[in-house]
Amino acid sequence: MAEGDSIFRLAARLHAATAGAVVARSDVRHPRFAGADLAGQRITAWVPRGKHLLARTAGGWTVHSHLRMSGRWSVLRPGKRLPRSVAADLRIALHLVDGRTLAGIGLPVLAVLPTRDEHTVVGHLGPDLLGDTFDGGTALARLRADPGRAVLAALLDQRVVAGLGNMWAQELLFLERVSPWRACGTVPNPAALLERGRALLRDAVERNPAQNTTGRVRPRHFVHGRYRRPCLRCGTAVAFAPPGSTPHGRETWWCPRCQR
């Protein structure tokens, strides 16, 4: 699943490539929004919101998408078509006046709605760790709201804080020596935990697009994906819990010694 820093970088690339472009014709392949007509709309901004992506137009329309595991956006050059292998997965095509095409492929979440109604699709999200106006106080209050909840589950809940995916959340907890199963109410310094998460995502946006948490060529991660491999800090075998055994429904890796 795309993490917040990936969506942030994607939004920046799409904005640089298409901001100011005008839509000549639109093709929305979604049963609810198939009748949407964005012809004549000028794209003004691509805005990341946690792991959600918002494309806004001057006429007051927003294309909302969430990539999850399968989705992607591509800008096709004039005369370029999607390969047959992915054409069936096209969910939205914005054919631009300059001949290019914006293609949303395999998007599991897609909506076309008035910009004034964006709150209906992203209003539930907690403070965005990559937002310019990140509200640390609100994020901390939401993390503490259920003191008995496992901290990893809370970090992955986008209603608590937006932007952390499974990889970043687990690497963050390792770096801070916090067990993923530890109750939120017993985390020693939750404010520092959130600030470290914000710093990791910022660093990934600015200089670490490979999402390398170790600083090594191999392995790139401390615990994520490293079941039974030695912990890079203490040498203990990294533990693993499959999705069906976790309250948050995600694969989980951790060091039993460093993250007691």
Side-chain angles (χ1 to χ4, degrees):
M1 182 178 288
E3 309 247 358
D5 57 302
S6 301
I7 298 302
F8 193 98
R9 291 192 302 272
L10 174 62
R13 290 197 300 270
L14 291 172
H15 183 86
T18 65
V22 176
V23 178
R25 178 172 57 89
S26 62
D27 178 8
V28 184
R29 301 181 182 182
H30 186 290
R32 184 177 174 188
F33 305 104
D37 183 6
L38 297 173
Q41 294 290 322
R42 179 170 57 84
I43 299 170
T44 58
W46 289 83
V47 181
R49 183 71 173 86
K51 295 191 282 186
H52 296 249
L53 185 59
L54 305 167
R56 295 173 179 161
T57 75
W61 288 95
T62 292
V63 176
H64 164 248
S65 59
H66 193 302
L67 278 59
R68 291 187 182 168
M69 295 296 290
S70 60
R72 61 189 174 98
W73 281 91
S74 295
V75 182
L76 305 179
R77 298 188 302 273
K80 182 78 170 179
R81 294 186 178 184
L82 288 174
R84 288 186 178 182
S85 59
V86 299
D89 295 325
L90 181 68
R91 296 293 175 264
I92 182 172
L94 301 179
H95 302 279
L96 306 179
V97 169
D98 62 16
R100 295 179 298 163
T101 299
L102 265 167
I105 304 160
L107 300 173
V109 177
L110 176 67
V112 181
L113 68 161
T115 300
R116 65 177 179 272
D117 294 335
E118 284 182 356
H119 66 278
T120 63
V121 291
V122 295
H124 64 288
L125 297 175
D128 187 347
L129 285 166
L130 285 172
D132 292 333
T133 57
F134 174 68
D135 187 342
T138 296
L140 186 59
R142 293 192 179 194
L143 188 64
R144 287 172 166 169
D146 186 353
R149 189 181 193 185
V151 65
L152 177 58
L155 291 175
L156 291 175
D157 186 343
Q158 301 299 295
R159 297 168 298 179
V160 174
V161 63
L164 288 174
N166 205 32
M167 185 280 292
W168 277 124
Q170 295 187 43
E171 292 293 286
L172 167 63
L173 290 174
F174 174 83
L175 290 168
E176 290 294 305
R177 295 177 179 267
V178 175
S179 167
W181 317 112
R182 186 163 188 166
C184 288
T186 67
V187 173
N189 193 342
L193 183 69
L194 292 173
E195 190 54 41
R196 183 74 174 270
R198 181 168 164 79
L200 287 171
L201 289 180
R202 277 288 176 193
D203 183 64
V205 166
E206 294 169 3
R207 70 175 191 87
N208 182 24
Q211 300 177 326
N212 184 318
T213 57
T214 65
R216 307 182 183 188
V217 176
R218 291 179 183 175
R220 294 172 51 241
H221 299 142
F222 286 104
V223 291
H224 186 264
R226 299 194 65 243
Y227 179 40
R228 293 180 177 173
R229 303 286 181 85
C231 170
L232 299 181
R233 182 187 282 147
C234 72
T236 302
V238 172
F240 172 75
S245 68
T246 66
H248 49 282
R250 304 294 299 277
E251 296 175 313
T252 303
W253 296 264
W254 75 101
C255 174
R257 183 176 181 183
C258 293
Q259 298 170 266
R260 293 183 185 276

